Amino acid sequence: MIDRDAIIASAEAVLDREGFSATGMDRLIKAAGVSSRTLYKHVGGRAGLILAALEAREERFFAAVRSDGVEELFRSLAEWVETEGAHGCFFLRALGEAGASDPSIAERVRAHKEATAGLIEACVAKDLGREDALLAAQILVLLEGATHAAVYRGASAVEAAGEAAATLLEAARGGPERAGG
Amino acid sequence: MIDRDAIIASAEAVLDREGFSATGMDRLIKAAGVSSRTLYKHVGGRAGLILAALEAREERFFAAVRSDGVEELFRSLAEWVETEGAHGCFFLRALGEAGASDPSIAERVRAHKEATAGLIEACVAKDLGREDALLAAQILVLLEGATHAAVYRGASAVEAAGEAAATLLEAARGGPERAGG
DNA sequence: TGAAAAGTAAAATGATCGTTTTACATGCGG
DNA sequence: CCGCATGTAAAACGATCATTTTACTTTTCA
């Protein structure tokens, strides 16, 4: 009995490394190590495989990053980048390369970005002892920037993002004196 | 006499709006409003057209953003996003969708990211009265993050990035007391 | 004015790609 | 041990796509 999850996991890896539109079915079939007949029987087709790969990535990513603080979040992201490499946000790439023709992909991406925003809000709340939507929005930009700057600057971009986040956090702690009272 | 620049400008717009791999030659030909024969005579082929579109974007982008300060930079970026929309970095998308098979595209992208880093260093130096490579690296992450978060959060992501940059700048001004100094 | 240059429309070409089908092998439960 | 689930290998199919070519018209300018 062939493992559907293994097919999907290999697709997730290849799509991330080589891109969505650049990767044909024959490449995904070869990577899965099964016949085309079997792969189509298990995932339906290209659209189903991509959607399943997005779901697999969602699970794997949220299992890998920590949500118990902003510093911890960026440290775990740096580790992710070092082991997985950086090719830009898997979900935004899916949206741009395959999401135009497939609304269910667009919906997956939207859900991922919403979940990510929630993760960051939780980290900020943990560190600050209160919610801070504006700071969370800024740190979301840092996370998104780290993900994409890491494509050409590697893990050091994630480190820079983590340091920036620490500075913003410090300012938010000591700094209602800066604006508005 | 048909304007080569007009062909390229229309390609830049369509590729940005609809993506590289999702956009076929017939779409680019229709957008240019010329015959396929004429377009091929002017730009050589798909690879030449994409490369020319990248060059056009480089020129247009650096003409649109200000380099006389970090706040000015993010304000002009917000205006860009409001008039042009946000689809992620045009260059990183080109790299992911067309750069694997074309080294000259990869080189263009590298040059763009280098120029962007220089732009940010200049803004930081102007505001700070001195160079600060670490701060510039953090603001680069903010710029990259603004570009990509704007895909799903619009111009407000750029505003958040600008505010974060201002906080980092303030900390860098008042803050050698924070570490090491 | 007349010929070369430059343009259009549309068919043809050849390659690639997602998907299906054909023909056959294997292993497992009743 | 029969029969069906499940698998492989590979050909076939139809669609799409980049590019070229054919046939013809318009523009330009010496």
Side-chain angles (χ1 to χ4, degrees):
Chain A
M1 204 57 155
I2 275 173
D3 191 1
R4 193 188 119 104
D5 291 348
I7 294 175
I8 291 161
S10 83
E12 188 211 324
V14 175
L15 289 170
D16 189 36
R17 241 185 294 114
E18 303 177 16
F20 289 84
S21 49
T23 305
M25 288 303 288
D26 54 342
R27 180 78 189 84
L28 295 168
I29 288 161
K30 235 163 253 168
V34 299
S35 67
S36 71
R37 205 180 204 280
T38 299
L39 184 134
Y40 274 91
K41 191 154 288 183
H42 277 85
V43 302
R46 175 167 240 266
L49 182 53
I50 288 179
L51 204 62
L54 288 176
E55 282 162 19
R57 169 62 71 108
E58 178 89 355
E59 213 170 313
R60 220 161 58 79
F61 178 74
F62 281 106
V65 296
R66 291 174 60 175
S67 61
D68 58 334
V70 171
E71 194 187 326
E72 290 81 0
L73 172 62
F74 280 96
R75 240 204 329 262
S76 55
L77 182 67
E79 278 167 33
W80 174 280
V81 165
E82 260 150 11
T83 59
E84 303 265 339
H87 313 277
C89 172
F90 192 60
F91 295 85
L92 284 187
R93 292 180 75 196
L95 185 65
E97 297 185 43
S101 56
D102 195 333
S104 60
I105 288 181
E107 167 55 22
R108 264 294 138 199
V109 174
R110 198 204 52 72
H112 168 76
K113 290 307 183 187
E114 196 174 300
T116 304
L119 169 75
I120 291 169
E121 280 157 23
C123 290
V124 166
K126 199 124 195 174
D127 283 350
L128 226 52
R130 59 176 168 86
E131 293 192 1
D132 188 331
L134 262 58
L135 178 61
Q138 295 176 3
I139 290 179
L140 179 108
V141 170
L142 281 173
L143 189 86
E144 198 72 71
T147 301
H148 289 93
V151 172
Y152 51 98
R153 293 211 158 176
S156 79
V158 186
E159 285 165 34
E163 283 159 25
T167 303
L168 296 179
L169 213 46
E170 189 61 31
R173 266 198 265 264
E177 69 229 36
R178 197 161 48 81
Chain B
M1 201 59 153
I2 276 175
D3 193 359
R4 192 189 120 104
D5 290 350
I7 294 175
I8 292 162
S10 83
E12 189 212 322
V14 175
L15 289 171
D16 189 37
R17 239 185 296 115
E18 302 177 18
F20 288 84
S21 48
T23 307
M25 288 303 289
D26 56 340
R27 181 78 189 83
L28 295 167
I29 287 161
K30 234 164 253 167
V34 299
S35 67
S36 70
R37 205 179 205 279
T38 298
L39 184 135
Y40 274 91
K41 192 153 286 182
H42 277 86
V43 302
R46 176 167 239 268
L49 182 54
I50 288 180
L51 204 62
L54 289 176
E55 283 163 19
R57 169 60 73 108
E58 178 87 356
E59 213 170 313
R60 220 161 58 79
F61 179 73
F62 280 106
V65 295
R66 290 173 62 175
S67 60
D68 57 332
V70 170
E71 193 188 328
E72 289 81 0
L73 173 62
F74 281 96
R75 241 206 326 262
S76 54
L77 183 67
E79 279 168 32
W80 174 280
V81 165
E82 260 151 14
T83 59
E84 303 265 339
H87 313 276
C89 172
F90 191 60
F91 294 85
L92 284 186
R93 292 180 76 196
L95 185 67
E97 296 185 45
S101 57
D102 195 333
S104 61
I105 287 180
E107 167 55 22
R108 261 299 134 198
V109 174
R110 198 203 53 73
H112 168 76
K113 290 307 181 186
E114 196 174 299
T116 304
L119 169 76
I120 291 168
E121 280 158 23
C123 290
V124 166
K126 199 123 192 174
D127 283 350
L128 225 51
R130 59 176 168 86
E131 293 192 358
D132 190 329
L134 262 59
L135 177 61
Q138 295 177 3
I139 290 179
L140 179 103
V141 170
L142 281 173
L143 189 85
E144 198 72 71
T147 301
H148 289 93
V151 172
Y152 51 99
R153 294 212 158 176
S156 79
V158 186
E159 284 165 35
E163 282 159 25
T167 303
L168 296 180
L169 214 46
E170 189 62 30
R173 266 198 265 264
E177 69 228 36
R178 196 164 46 83

